[in-house]
Amino acid sequence: MSRIRGIEVKVQKDVLQTRKYGLNEILRKKNDDHSANSKDDAEKRQIKELLHKLPGLNKIFEVHRKIGEGTFSSVYLGSLRQHATLSDSEKRWFAIKHLVPTAHPARIEHELRCLRDIGGKENVIGVELCLRNLDTIVFIMPYIPHKKFS
């Protein structure tokens, strides 16, 4: 008897929510929750794939999450593995820029040369490290906390 009442109460709550917020709003919220979960799963898969393709990166850095994406690269937030025991405020944070493997080698070389030559001055971030394994290339740069331009 209580099970039936519990089910009836649950149905009644759904009906009340539908009346209060509208069916479209409830469906949108459920879809947003689902897309957020699938986005997180895709991000975790991308990080796992990057670490598999570039084992040296995994030895030095802990990759936490994706923080940006562009036409020629994706950027991840990372910290040094040797600082794993420190609190977040004490860790040194890095932007790990993974270049798309289809980018032309001359373009990659030009970007690295520019960052090396003028990086660290005149409002241009410098490169701390560059790692490569076959067609997988990452630039490691200091992370600067900021608000997104958009």
Side-chain angles (χ1 to χ4, degrees):
M1 190 85 165
S2 63
R3 287 184 182 171
I4 294 172
R5 284 186 183 151
I7 291 170
E8 287 173 358
V9 169
K10 186 174 182 180
V11 170
Q12 286 176 355
K13 285 181 182 177
D14 288 345
V15 170
L16 290 174
Q17 282 183 339
T18 304
R19 288 180 185 159
K20 184 176 179 182
Y21 300 110
L23 183 59
N24 289 336
E25 182 69 19
I26 291 171
L27 292 174
R28 187 187 62 75
K29 285 181 183 179
K30 287 183 180 180
N31 286 337
D32 287 349
D33 291 344
H34 178 68
S35 66
N37 288 339
S38 62
K39 184 179 177 183
D40 289 343
D41 292 342
E43 188 177 299
K44 287 177 185 175
R45 190 177 65 251
Q46 289 171 352
I47 291 171
K48 188 176 180 179
E49 185 178 318
L50 174 62
L51 296 175
H52 176 72
K53 288 181 177 180
L54 198 61
L57 180 67
N58 199 25
K59 291 177 184 174
I60 303 168
F61 293 96
E62 189 174 340
V63 181
H64 299 278
R65 61 185 168 88
K66 189 180 219 176
I67 56 174
E69 189 170 39
T71 305
F72 297 106
S73 64
S74 296
V75 183
Y76 300 92
L77 181 66
S79 62
L80 293 170
R81 285 211 172 270
Q82 66 188 25
H83 293 170
T85 58
L86 299 176
S87 68
D88 285 350
S89 62
E90 295 174 315
K91 288 181 183 178
R92 188 163 173 215
W93 296 96
F94 295 91
I96 300 169
K97 182 176 184 177
H98 174 227
L99 297 153
V100 174
T102 58
H104 195 278
R107 193 197 78 73
I108 295 169
E109 182 184 1
H110 184 259
E111 181 177 355
L112 185 58
R113 193 178 307 259
C114 288
L115 289 172
R116 185 194 64 197
D117 293 346
I118 60 174
K121 52 188 173 194
E122 302 296 326
N123 299 317
V124 178
I125 197 77
V127 174
E128 299 277 329
L129 180 67
C130 178
L131 296 173
R132 175 182 172 257
N133 183 33
L134 302 174
D135 65 346
T136 304
I137 301 170
V138 295
F139 295 164
I140 312 294
M141 300 173 272
Y143 173 74
I144 298 173
H146 62 285
K147 290 186 179 182
K148 287 189 176 186
F149 181 74
S150 59

